Every structure is written in C-alpha cells, then in structure tokens.
C-alpha cells in the first residue's frame, strides 16, 4: 500500500469523533467534518447519562449488555469525563411488582450488578425521594460529560494526525461511476479553527471512503447520493435544574414512559425526557407542556422538584432507525441498537457507509465496528486500541490533587478545574499571570478559558462546551463579556464582539423555557446588566454613527466638569 | 398597637428613597421599610431619564422632549414632564451628581466598551464623558475580569468616540489574591493603606499612581474601573489625579457596584436629614384592609408578625429583579397586596425569541391611575391609600429605554408627595 487511505467522516458527535479517533489510531488518514461545533447535534443535547444498561434490561437485552460493557470501558479511558454516581430504579406503589422483578432478573441476565434496596435504604442514599416509594434497585449508572468526551476524542484523533473541521457543512457528495469519491464542503469561517469574521470558502475534499455518522441528519447526506436512509428522528426535552436535588441517577421503575429519569450532572440535575417522532431534525416545536410534564411527573419521585428553580430546557433528537420491515408506530418501541448501512451492498453505491441508531454510551463500540468495516474495505489488518488507551486528560488520573496552594486557587474552584481537566491540569493551570475566576457559577478560571480558546479559535460556544463557562445559574449574565475579553488581544475587537453576541443569543435560547420564578428574575437582571449598564442592545459600534458633539460636554462652571477638586454642590459634600 | 406613621414606604431602592424623601420634605411623618439590599448594588450608579424612545430611536439628546411621545401606559405620562423635572430638582438638591446644568443627555463609557446616554452622572465619572475629545488612557487590573481595559478601549473606538482610547492592564500594587473583591481595593484606597512594593511599604494611592505612570503617553485623562474608594472617592481620585497630572474618572461597573452603593448611602442620608425613619432587614409579609383601605401591614421579625400602620402607603418593592413582581409557572403576581399584574396567560408569550427583542416580561408591573394608585383588572383602584413607584410599575421597559432611575425618582417623588398631601 503506497499511502494510508483517506477517510472522510461526516458528523462531529460522539460517534463521528469516536470513529475518527479509532481510524486515526489505526494509521489511516482521516478528516472529520462537522457543520457546527463538535457535539452540535444529538450528542450535545443528551442528558449526560452513562448507562449501566439497566434501562434496557427488560426491553432490549442486547443493548443492555453492550451498555454495561462500555460503561466499564469509559470509566477506564475517560475517567475525567465520568462521575460514577450510581443509579436507582425507584418503584412507586402504583408501579407493578411484576415489572420490578423483571427489571431485577433482566439486570442479572445482562451482567449488570443490581441490588434491591428498601425504602429506608433508598431514602438514606437520596433523602429527597418521596416518602411513599416502595423500594428500588441500585445499578452502576453514572453521569458523563458529552462535551468533554467528544473534545477529548477529537484531540486524540488530532494527535494521531487527523484533520478536524468544525463549522464546515457538507453541501454535496462527489459521485463518479456509482462511487462516492469525495465531498463538497462549505466552511463558514475558512478551514481550521473557527475565527469570527473570517471569510469562509468552499472546498472539495477527495476521499477513498466516506463514513456518514450524522445521526438524525443521515438521510440528508443519503439524499445527496440518491440513496434512501430512513432515520426516524424523535425529539426529547431535557430540563436543567439549578442544583443537584439528587446525587444518584434516579430512574422510574416502570415500562417505557415520558419523564422518568433525573441525572445529576456537574452542579445541576437534568430531568428527562419525552419521545416524540418529528419530521425534521432541525425544526420541530419546543413546547411548554413538555417542560411542565418533566416537573410534574418527576416530582412524584422527588417532590421538591415541583418548586425548584429550573435554569433552561433543551431538546435533542434521537437518530432512531429500524430496518424497513419492522414498522413500529411508537418511537419508544424502536430499538436503540445501531446499524451499519454499507451502501455498496445495500444500494450499489461504492465508497460510503452510514451508521445510524445507537446510543451515546456505546459510541466507542460503534466506532470500533465501523472502523473494522472501513479497514476491511482496504484489506487493512490493524487492531482497535480505543478501549485500552486513555483519552487525553484521563491518563494517570488517579488522585484529585489539591491545587489550592499550588495555583493560588480557592479550593472548590481548584478542585472543579482539576476534575474537568484531569491529567491536563498541570499543563493548563500553570500560567505566569494571575488566574482569576471568569465564570463564578461554574468556577472556570482564565487559564481554562485561554486553553479552550487555543483549541477552538474565537468561537465562544466552543469555549463554553470545553469549560462549562456560562452554563450555571446566571446563564452567562455575569461572564459573557468577560469571556469576550479573553478573546480580545489575540483576536480583534470586532471578532470578539461577534463571538460575544453569538454566545449571548445561544444562552438565551434555552433559558426561554425556564422563564418563571427565580430564572425570570435572573433573566431580567441579565437583560438589565447587558442593556442598561452596558447598553449592548443599542451598541453604537453596531449601529448608526453617533453625533457625540450633540451631547453634554460637561458643566461650564469654574473648574469644568472634569475637575476633581470642585464642589458643585455648594460645599455640602466635603472633598474628603 | 401598630407602629404608626403618616406615610409608610415599602422598599429601600431608588423609588422608595425618593418617595420617603419627597414625603418627608412635605412635612409628613415618614417610615421606610426595606428588607434586603436594594438593587442599587446591581446598578451602574448612572441616573438615566430616557435614552431611547419606545421604538428604539436614539440615543436621545433631550429626554424631556421625548416624554410626551411615550405610550399613555408609560409611568412618565402619569407624572408628566413637569413631574419629572420637579423630581430631578429634588435629586440634584441632595446629591452631588453632575449633568444638572443642561437638559441634554450625556454619553458615558460603559465597562462593556459601549457608550450610553444618561441624564446625571456621579462626579467620579464626569471626566469620562464620551463627548469630551481629550484622549483617554484606560487602566484595568490584570486580575479584574469585569474590566479588560484594552478590550474596552478598542470597543470604544469601534463605537466612534471622538478621541483616542488606549487600554493597559496593570497589577494592583501589593499582593492581593487574584479574585479580590472590589470592596477590598476600595478600602485600601479609602484608607491609603500600605501595600508592599519592591520590598518597601507604600500608601496604596501613591503605589497605584506609580504603577500607572509609566503607561501614560500624553493622555489628559485616565479611566479606571469603579473601585476608587467607597467612603472617600473624591479624595482617592484627587490624589491619583494630582500624582499623574491628569483627570481621573471611574467607569461604572456591574455588581457589586460601588457608585450604586454610594448613591444609596447619599439618599439614605438625605432621608435621614429630612427626618424620615427606617426599619430595615425584615420583610413585609401581609396586610389588613377594610373596604379597600389598608389598615396595617405586617413585617416578619424573628418569626413574629409585627403590625406597622400608616395613613398612606407607597409600594416601591421593585420589579422582577427586586422581587416586587414575582411569577411562577401559572402566572405573574405582586406578592404583598396581590395587586393585579397584567400578563399573557401562556408564559411562552412573556418573551421574545431574540435576546434583545421586545420582551413583554420587561414591562411586567402594576397599572395605576393618575395618582399612581394600582388598578385592578377592571380598572378600579385596588386600595384608596396605596400608591406604587419605580420598578414595580408596568408599561415600560427601562432596560431598552435607559429610563430606570428616572422613572424611579420621578414616580417616587410623585407618590411620596401625593401620599404626604393626602395624609395631612
């Protein structure tokens, strides 16, 4: 073989990033293309659950078995992205004993460690559980940060020579003689890291093989080559609470249903979810009843949720797929298994495979299988190493060190920074200058922001997903201008301003679904701080020129307006 | 037996203080009840009357001229241009703010790098006027993330200011921790406390001037974030100005805002001088009324309910931020007297999709009659002896218009004056 085959992977979610890392580690030449930020689609819109498999232990045992296997792998290779919270399947009096038993035996059959805990024990673990629950099953569920995980996969792929292009939309496939031989790409800001205000351009990228890992968008890519991929996008809402009412994943122990899970995630809890088939993965209604349903139904498990503060809600679309002959009516019946569609076998179109369905927890396994498949196309015999080699940040991450003294950080901030950075903590936090906290809600310091900027260019949303800055209680009210200032210096003022506007708008988007009570009060404060104090809503830099001379030029009394020594109040105030 | 006063003001922000001051100046026996810190700590300390019209035109040079064009629901229409002028005269009389020599708005730099129109500004901000064409050196502290001087300077230039702006970052002398609070800097400068510089102890004012001096390149004025003293800001500014032979100004900042807190102090002092009484730290939780007339209110103090009564009441508990207006998933309400707050039934109609869009929630508040008495859903007076002032009033978007302080002062003045006249 003269040179390594060039593979283009379309889709920068967990699956695409996982495939890219895997192929790059096997020595292939890979380019990853993502239309938005990494995690822009489904991955960035999940509840952050690291499945134990318990959820599928009755309905879909194949998936359940895969989940527990990958759960163990991710604890190893992505330790800085995982918090092993443990999980409970909680039975209320109105839920059936029969299902409870099925769940328990299902877990055993799938090799998922599961134990029955009494009401008293469950309420000892989670004191805010409803007083009238019956009992629960404990399982090794956990929480995982999808942003950090995907970024780490992309970084690892890059270290192995891959090219990562975000904000680069595939606009067409190049098909010659029934073979996909390349893609046409529209870069929103030029190739490489995204820089606001930089002119983008189109590029044709020739490839030996294309992997379509675009999930709910897979049909769009299929259309470009005239093949039919029937993904059934299904939307689900997730509502974020401002604090952790529970520290364990709480599942409702009953068959499929809406609003049956609470995932503690960093400083928040995420309530989920609904399951509603939609036509278009990018344009679907986000409705009030869905948010209300989360709060009302889940407060049956944790009553204090009824009056707790929510900070925003977001919706994701699952890329559900079922083979054409099954024909389920209800999206909750569709398997969570994944499918590899080799378009050569299926549609007589060479050079491309699509991967559809699947779950976040098994992203690595999907990556392994599709990488095996790609390697087979070229007769390459290279082993998958992604289950054994830790991701950047997770190597040798055995002890959480106390960085308070070493980096002059207050202890909770130091601890959180180190948790986020894992083994990269030294590299990132050792800076020469002062390292103040930029985002107070999430305890993110300047060093982390600067590190994220060095990875992602001027895109503050990309900085956000790497650091969690602007994702806390105030939803950016107090830190978006600070984050923009961190861009300035390396980037021009106009670039920083565009990035700032974009982040403000993005943060507003999800808060809209939490606008009552304290969060409405917060929204008004944020609005006042940006509009009144800063006048950002009528920023003259974005508008018509201002006739400065028409305004007050200062008092004309002796000493002028600018003197610091004149009492203009008849001497009532002393000059100190 | 309830504690009695002629005018009882509930709320200790700009509107409450203006009400109490106006009522006391009318000779009424006034008591002001305030619960938590007022939202003045969040405010820049600039006093805006009106910077933009309802339709977003502006920045306006003359706020008074635009008032008669506002929608009839606007609180300014209730008090009228003369009412606003009288109120501002009272404000000017008790503060040392600048801008009272003209009806024309001033433009001041913001810590976000833009400029904003305002009617009155603290003396500390006076040398920063954006219409002044003298060049500016902005000085930020490397560890203070709210004010990045080079970024602010570059943004001001992008806003087209008629002078050159340059920004530098320095370290505050002494070995303060990276996340020191603004009050820590202010205190050091207030007391001219000693800080260690190169192994010797130097007064903080001199040390700060020494740190700035090498960066000056002929600029006639130097701007710093608003940290220049809490109790003695004029002296701090004068000391820096003398040492550097420049005019020194502060750029207003977000919370915790020293100019906002200084203004609060000045107004409390003025109310005190005018003979008003205060009762702070306890919330008003309930009231008793008969035939649409409030008899007394109850404050909660260490678990006890203490009755306090007045002949006339002024409600100045603020808007959504101050919690004078509250909401839940079902609706929007006024928590003490349950006065009517108009709002759309569907909470998805409370906001606009754009972050700076036309947000109905920004206009949530009480509708009133011409005497600022809150009205029910059917336009009758809620209580014959209750008036409302400031952020709790509905029908205006202070953030978009830059009218928050002006409305609070004007309606506070009117409500306090009316209440006192009624009580006498």
């Amino acid at each position: 073989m003269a040179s390594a085959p060039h593979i283009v992977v379309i889709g920068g979610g967990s699956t695409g990033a996982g495939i890219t890392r895997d192929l790059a580690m096997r020595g292939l030449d890979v380019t990853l293309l993502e239309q938005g930020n990494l995690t822009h689609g489904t991955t960035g819109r999940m509840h952050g659950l690291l499945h134990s498999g318990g959820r599928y232990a009755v309905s879909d045992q194949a998936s359940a078995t895969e989940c527990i296997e990958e759960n163990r792998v991710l604890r190893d290779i992505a330790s800085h992205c995982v918090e092993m919270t443990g999980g409970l399947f909680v039975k209320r009096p109105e839920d059936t004993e029969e299902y409870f038993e099925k769940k328990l035996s299902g877990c055993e059959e799938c090799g998922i460690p599961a134990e029955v805990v009494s009401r008293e024990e469950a309420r000892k673990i989670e004191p805010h559980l409803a007083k009238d629950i019956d009992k629960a099953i404990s399982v090794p569920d956990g929480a995982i940060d999808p942003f950090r995980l995907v970024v780490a996969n992309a970084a690892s792929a890059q270290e192995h020579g891959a090219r990562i292009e975000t904000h680069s939309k595939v606009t067409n496939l190049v098909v010659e003689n029934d073979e996909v031989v390349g893609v046409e790409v529209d870069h929103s800001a030029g190739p490489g890291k995204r820089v606001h205000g930089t002119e983008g351009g189109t590029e044709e990228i020739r490839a030996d093989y294309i992997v379509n890992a675009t999930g709910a968008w897979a049909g769009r890519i299929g259309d470009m080559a005239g093949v039919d991929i029937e993904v059934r996008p299904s939307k689900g809402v997730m509502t974020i609470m401002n604090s952790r009412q529970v520290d364990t994943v709480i599942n409702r122990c009953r068959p499929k249903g809406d609003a049956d899970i609470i995932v503690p995630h960093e400083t928040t809890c995420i309530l989920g979810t609904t399951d509603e088939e939609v036509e278009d993965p990018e344009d679907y209604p986000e409705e009030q009843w869905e948010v209300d349903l989360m709060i009302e139904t889940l407060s049956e498990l944790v009553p204090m949720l009824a009056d707790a503060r929510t900070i925003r809600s977001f919706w994701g679309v699952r890329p559900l797929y079922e083979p054409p002959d099954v024909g389920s009516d209800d999206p909750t019946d569709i398997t969570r298994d994944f499918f590899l569609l080799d378009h050569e076998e299926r549609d007589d179109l060479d050079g491309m495979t699509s991967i559809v369905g699947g779950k976040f927890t098994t992203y690595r396994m999907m990556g392994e299988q599709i990488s095996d498949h790609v390697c087979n196309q070229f007769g390459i015999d290279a082993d998958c190493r992604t289950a054994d080699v830790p991701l950047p940040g997770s190597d040798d991450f055995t002890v959480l060190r106390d960085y308070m003294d070493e980096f002059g950080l207050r202890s909770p901030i130091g601890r959180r920074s180190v948790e986020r950075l894992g083994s990269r903590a030294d590299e990132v936090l050792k800076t020469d200058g002062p390292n103040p906290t930029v985002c107070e809600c999430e305890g993110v310091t300047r060093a982390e922001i600067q590190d994220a900027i060095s990875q992602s260019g001027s895109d503050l949303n990309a900085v956000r997903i790497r650091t969690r800055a602007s994702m806390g209680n105030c939803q950016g009210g107090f830190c978006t201008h600070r984050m923009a200032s961190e861009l300035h210096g390396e980037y021009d003022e106009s670039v920083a301003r565009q990035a700032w506007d974009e982040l403000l708008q993005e943060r507003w988007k999800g808060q809209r679904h939490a606008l009552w009570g304290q969060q409405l009060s917060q929204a008004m404060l944020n609005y006042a701080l940006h509009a009144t104090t800063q006048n950002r809503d009528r920023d003259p830099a974005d508008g018509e020129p201002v006739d400065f001379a028409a305004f007050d030029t200062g008092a004309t009394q002796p000493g002028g307006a600018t003197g610091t020594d004149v009492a203009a109040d008849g001497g009532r105030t002393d000059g100190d | 037996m309830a504690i009695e006063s002629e005018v009882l003001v509930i709320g200790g922000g700009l509107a409450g203080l203006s009400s109490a001051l106006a009522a006391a100046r009318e000779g009424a026996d006034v008591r002001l009840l305030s619960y938590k810190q007022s939202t003045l700590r969040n405010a820049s300390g600039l006093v805006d009357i009106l910077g933009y019209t309802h339709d977003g035109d502006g920045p306006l040079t003359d706020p008074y001229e635009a008032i008669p064009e506002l929608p009839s629901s606007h609180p300014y229409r209730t008090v009228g241009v003369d009412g606003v002028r009288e109120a501002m005269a009272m404000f000017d009389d008790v503060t040392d703010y600048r801008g009272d020599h003209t009806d024309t708005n001033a433009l001041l730099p913001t810590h976000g790098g833009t400029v904003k129109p305002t009617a009155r500004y603290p003396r500390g901000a006076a040398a920063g006027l954006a219409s002044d064409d003298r060049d500016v050196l902005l000085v930020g502290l490397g560890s203070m993330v709210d004010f990045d001087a080079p970024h602010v300077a570059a943004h001001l230039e992008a806003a087209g200011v008629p002078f050159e702006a340059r920004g530098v970052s320095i370290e505050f002398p002494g070995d303060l921790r990276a996340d020191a609070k603004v009050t820590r800097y202010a205190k050091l400068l207030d007391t001219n406390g000693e800080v260690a510089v190169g192994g010797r102890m130097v007064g903080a004012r001199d040390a700060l001037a020494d740190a700035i001096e090498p960066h000056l390149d002929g600029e006639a004025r130097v701007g710093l974030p608003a940290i220049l003293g809490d109790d003695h800001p004029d002296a701090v500014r004068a000391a820096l100005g003398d040492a550097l032979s420049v005019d020194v100004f502060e750029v207003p900042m977000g919370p915790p805002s020293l100019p906002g807190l200084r203004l609060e102090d000045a107004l409390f002092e003025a109310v005190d001088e005018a003979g008003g009484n205060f009762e702070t730290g306890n919330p008003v939780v309930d009231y008793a009324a008969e035939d649409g007339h409030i008899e007394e209110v109850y404050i909660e103090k260490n678990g006890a309910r203490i009755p306090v009564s007045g002949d006339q009441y002024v409600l100045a508990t603020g808007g959504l931020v101050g919690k004078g207006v509250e909401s839940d998933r079902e609706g929007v309400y006024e928590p003490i007297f349950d006065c009517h707050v108009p709002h759309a039934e569907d909470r998805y109609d409370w906001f606009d999709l754009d972050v700076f869009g036309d947000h109905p929630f920004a206009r949530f508040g009480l509708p009133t009659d011409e005497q600022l008495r809150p009205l029910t859903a059917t336009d009758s007076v809620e209580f014959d002896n209750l008036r409302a002032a400031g952020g709790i009033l509905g029908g205006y978007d202070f953030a978009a218009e830059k009218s928050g302080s002006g409305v609070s002062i004007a309606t506070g003045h009117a409500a306090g004056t009316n209440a006192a006249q009624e009580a006498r």
Side-chain angles (χ1 to χ4, degrees):
Chain A
M1 204 171 55
S3 61
H6 179 208
I7 317 298
V8 163
V9 177
I10 312 173
S14 54
T15 312
I19 295 166
T20 304
R21 177 184 192 227
D22 197 333
L23 289 171
M25 285 174 78
R26 297 191 204 202
L28 278 71
D29 178 12
V30 195
T31 300
L32 173 72
L33 300 172
E34 163 57 49
Q35 62 175 342
N37 266 320
L38 293 174
T39 75
H40 165 86
T42 300
T43 299
R45 307 184 141 262
M46 49 102 60
H47 44 37
L49 173 66
L50 177 64
H51 278 285
S52 63
R55 195 168 183 75
Y56 305 116
V58 178
S59 60
D60 188 352
Q61 294 204 333
S63 291
T65 311
E66 286 171 5
C67 279
I68 186 65
E69 196 176 313
E70 286 301 294
N71 174 304
R72 293 189 173 111
V73 170
L74 290 178
R75 282 190 241 169
D76 261 5
I77 64 159
S79 54
H80 76 304
C81 307
V82 172
E83 181 188 352
M84 277 316 291
T85 59
L88 292 173
F89 279 85
V90 177
K91 177 185 176 310
R92 284 194 51 81
E94 60 269 31
D95 304 332
T96 69
E97 183 65 29
E98 186 198 353
Y99 187 79
F100 187 87
E101 291 304 325
K102 269 193 189 166
K103 180 71 82 183
L104 191 61
S105 56
C107 285
E108 274 163 26
E109 285 152 27
C110 299
I112 301 162
E115 234 178 87
V116 177
V117 293
S118 67
R119 172 195 309 160
E120 293 72 26
E121 288 167 319
R123 295 196 69 237
K124 205 177 272 179
I125 300 168
E126 286 304 339
H128 296 305
L129 281 175
K131 291 194 176 104
D132 62 342
I133 61 156
D134 276 351
K135 54 184 172 179
I137 300 169
S138 82
V139 293
D141 281 341
I144 185 161
D145 186 328
F147 306 114
R148 217 178 292 161
L149 183 79
V150 170
V151 167
N153 269 282
S156 169
Q158 233 166 355
E159 284 169 12
H160 288 89
R163 174 183 172 196
I164 309 289
E165 288 288 345
T166 59
H167 303 281
S168 298
K169 187 170 184 166
V170 171
T171 51
N172 209 355
L173 295 179
V174 184
V175 181
E176 291 171 1
N177 305 321
D178 294 329
E179 183 180 357
V180 185
V181 296
V183 293
E184 284 169 18
V185 185
D186 197 354
H187 297 288
S188 73
K193 291 174 193 171
R194 181 184 183 204
V195 176
H196 287 78
T198 303
E199 203 176 321
T202 54
E203 185 184 8
E204 183 180 302
I205 300 176
R206 306 286 287 193
D208 297 304
Y209 205 78
I210 312 282
V211 176
N212 172 18
T214 54
W217 285 259
R220 301 284 174 84
I221 299 292
D223 289 345
M224 294 175 190
V227 298
D228 212 18
I229 305 168
E230 294 262 339
V231 178
R232 293 171 61 174
S234 168
K235 71 167 175 173
V237 65
M238 277 143 280
T239 292
I240 310 187
M241 313 307 291
N242 83 317
S243 66
R244 283 169 67 129
Q245 284 83 9
V246 292
D247 290 314
T248 309
V249 175
I250 304 295
N251 303 269
R252 181 81 177 256
C253 192
R254 66 176 177 196
K256 69 180 184 188
D258 285 343
D260 58 3
I261 190 164
I262 309 166
V263 184
H265 195 79
E266 301 271 333
T267 53
T268 69
C269 271
I270 302 181
L271 317 186
T273 181
T274 42
D275 205 343
E276 290 248 323
E277 203 159 329
V278 296
E279 286 291 314
D280 182 337
E282 283 183 59
D283 186 17
Y284 48 84
E286 301 178 339
E287 289 165 280
Q288 172 173 346
W289 69 264
E290 297 176 273
V291 176
D292 288 335
L293 180 75
M294 288 309 108
I295 296 167
E296 278 152 23
T297 309
L298 284 164
S299 47
E300 293 170 12
L301 292 180
V302 180
M304 72 187 298
L305 290 175
D307 300 312
R309 173 175 175 179
T310 84
I311 55 180
R312 61 196 281 128
S313 288
F314 60 94
W315 277 253
V317 278
R318 301 170 189 82
L320 298 182
Y321 181 84
E322 63 179 8
D325 48 339
V326 180
S328 304
D329 290 332
D330 181 344
T332 56
D333 287 335
I334 300 178
T335 176
R336 266 49 177 167
D337 214 347
F338 64 90
F339 297 87
L340 199 152
L341 311 179
D342 182 331
H343 295 294
E344 184 184 356
E345 285 173 16
R346 191 172 168 270
D347 309 295
D348 291 324
L349 176 71
D350 284 6
M352 180 165 92
T353 283
S354 297
I355 184 157
V356 288
K359 294 172 301 301
F360 176 84
T361 298
T362 56
Y363 87 94
R364 193 211 59 81
M365 188 182 268
M366 292 156 69
E368 177 172 351
Q369 292 191 18
I370 202 154
S371 297
D372 285 345
H373 176 76
V374 170
C375 286
N376 274 336
Q377 307 297 310
F378 299 95
I380 297 169
D381 184 17
D383 288 340
C384 174
R385 294 186 295 133
T386 55
D388 306 314
V389 182
L391 286 160
S394 282
D395 336 71
D396 190 26
F397 179 46
T398 46
V399 192
L400 282 186
R401 289 157 56 193
D402 183 355
Y403 275 66
M404 180 168 64
D405 296 334
E406 199 165 342
F407 299 113
L409 297 169
R410 280 176 294 170
S411 111
I413 290 168
R415 197 185 64 243
R416 295 209 60 216
S417 296
V418 174
E419 277 169 359
R420 281 191 296 262
L421 292 164
S423 53
R424 295 187 63 243
D426 275 319
E427 172 193 335
V428 174
L429 295 178
K430 281 192 172 151
T431 62
D432 294 335
N435 188 21
T437 307
V438 174
C439 162
E440 274 145 15
C441 296
E442 293 294 314
V444 184
T445 62
R446 172 179 288 164
E448 279 174 90
I449 302 277
Q450 287 297 343
D451 174 59
I453 291 169
S454 74
Q455 291 175 24
S456 60
S458 73
D459 189 329
L460 289 179
N461 269 316
V463 170
R464 170 179 69 80
I465 65 169
R466 283 165 171 79
T467 61
R468 290 188 64 79
S470 79
M471 291 174 77
N473 265 352
C474 86
Q475 292 287 292
F478 286 74
C479 66
T480 46
H481 67 288
R482 300 170 178 175
M483 291 171 72
S485 285
E486 292 301 322
L487 281 179
H488 184 251
E490 188 175 345
Y491 297 100
D492 285 347
E493 186 278 331
S494 62
V495 173
R497 181 150 31 99
Q498 273 186 48
W500 181 4
D501 285 342
E502 189 180 271
L503 180 64
L504 264 183
Q505 184 61 44
E506 191 283 335
R507 293 284 80 194
W508 176 242
K509 211 175 142 205
Q511 272 177 83
R512 295 188 278 115
H513 305 288
L515 288 187
W516 66 87
Q518 283 176 291
Q519 205 61 28
L520 182 58
S521 176
Q522 180 78 55
M524 187 63 217
L525 175 61
N526 291 353
Y527 177 43
L529 292 176
H530 293 124
T532 309
T533 308
Q534 297 186 29
N535 199 18
R536 279 282 288 152
D537 61 330
R538 312 256 188 250
D539 192 341
D542 295 324
E544 298 290 309
V546 172
D547 178 10
F548 284 87
F551 289 84
D552 175 15
T553 49
T556 51
Q557 65 262 45
T562 54
T564 51
D565 54 351
V566 174
D569 54 9
R572 200 186 58 84
T573 306
D574 63 23
D576 293 303
Chain B
M1 190 64 193
I3 302 161
E4 285 181 15
S5 334
E6 286 173 323
V7 176
L8 193 65
V9 178
I10 307 169
L14 203 45
L17 288 162
S18 299
S19 299
L21 185 58
R25 288 183 147 209
E26 285 286 322
D29 166 32
V30 179
R31 180 173 296 269
L32 181 145
L33 306 175
S34 78
Y35 174 30
K36 290 183 175 170
Q37 274 183 309
S38 82
T39 50
L40 276 165
R41 70 186 295 280
N42 294 329
S44 65
L46 301 181
V47 172
D48 314 329
I49 293 178
L50 190 69
Y52 296 84
T53 67
H54 189 68
D55 303 322
D57 293 337
L60 299 172
T61 48
D62 183 346
Y64 298 105
E65 197 181 82
I67 286 175
E69 307 302 319
L70 291 166
S72 59
S73 62
H74 199 291
Y76 277 148
R77 294 293 305 279
T78 308
V79 299
V81 173
D82 290 343
V84 180
R85 286 189 186 277
E86 283 167 32
M88 291 311 295
M90 178 186 78
F91 177 84
D92 293 332
D93 201 29
V94 299
T95 65
D96 61 351
Y97 269 51
R98 295 287 178 84
D100 54 335
H101 62 286
T102 173
D103 280 354
T104 303
N105 269 329
L107 288 172
L108 279 128
T110 76
H111 74 119
T114 60
V115 296
K116 67 166 271 189
T118 194
R120 299 287 187 276
Y121 38 95
R123 293 210 301 177
L129 288 187
S131 47
D132 183 338
D133 59 7
R134 295 175 300 158
D135 291 348
V136 166
L137 175 69
L138 292 176
V139 177
L141 307 178
S143 56
M144 184 176 260
V145 288
D146 266 322
F147 185 78
D148 183 301
H151 187 206
V152 173
H155 196 150
L156 282 173
E157 298 232 305
V161 293
F163 52 86
E164 277 185 33
R166 207 160 54 80
V168 295
S169 287
I170 62 165
E171 295 312 319
F172 196 88
D175 200 14
L176 272 64
R177 61 192 307 161
D179 47 10
K181 300 265 183 286
V182 293
T183 44
R184 174 86 180 105
Y185 299 114
K187 191 86 198 152
L188 260 178
L189 291 168
D190 264 342
T191 58
N192 200 19
E194 292 198 320
V195 291
V197 179
R200 62 195 183 90
M201 300 307 284
V202 188
R205 297 176 186 177
D206 291 333
L208 181 57
D210 286 348
I212 295 170
E213 202 275 330
H215 298 285
L216 267 176
D217 186 19
E219 288 91 352
R221 41 187 187 147
V222 170
L224 286 118
I227 58 163
L228 302 182
D230 188 4
D231 297 329
H232 308 290
D234 289 347
V236 172
R237 230 168 41 251
L240 292 174
D242 287 348
L244 296 167
S245 303
V246 295
D247 280 335
V248 172
F249 64 93
E250 289 186 316
V251 178
M253 302 279 288
S257 159
L258 285 176
L261 292 168
R262 293 176 197 138
L263 177 58
E264 184 175 25
D265 288 347
L267 290 172
F268 263 105
E269 199 179 306
V271 175
D272 192 34
E273 275 177 22
N277 300 302
F278 308 109
E279 174 101 25
T280 59
N282 304 296
V284 173
V285 292
D286 204 357
Y287 72 99
E290 208 165 299
D291 298 333
H293 185 85
I294 298 167
E295 303 289 342
E296 53 193 23
V297 297
Y298 302 97
I299 58 175
E300 194 173 81
K301 196 170 184 178
N302 304 327
R305 258 163 68 105
I306 299 177
V308 188
S309 79
D311 295 335
Q312 300 291 322
Y313 296 80
V314 177
L315 184 62
T317 42
L320 287 167
V321 179
K323 309 277 169 71
V325 176
E326 295 205 52
S327 63
D328 56 27
R329 282 192 287 140
E330 312 304 322
V332 187
Y333 57 96
E334 183 281 299
I336 298 178
F337 299 102
D338 199 22
C339 290
H340 169 61
V341 183
H343 61 277
E345 206 169 299
D346 184 338
R347 66 170 191 265
Y348 277 60
D349 292 332
W350 296 355
F351 56 80
D352 188 88
L353 296 180
D354 188 80
V355 63
F356 290 131
D358 187 11
H359 297 302
F361 71 76
R363 293 188 299 274
F364 282 169
L366 311 180
T368 69
D369 71 356
E370 72 291 347
Q371 279 200 53
L372 292 168
R373 291 180 302 188
L375 295 175
T376 65
T378 52
D379 285 343
S380 58
V381 168
E382 293 263 13
F383 302 99
D384 65 10
N385 58 343
L386 177 70
R387 289 170 181 76
I392 198 169
L393 296 173
Y396 73 115
D397 178 345
F398 76 82
E401 299 168 359
K402 328 300 161 191
S403 65
S405 307
V407 169
S408 287
I409 294 167
T411 57
H413 176 265
T417 306
N418 282 345
Q421 285 166 354
E422 193 84 11
R424 301 253 91 189

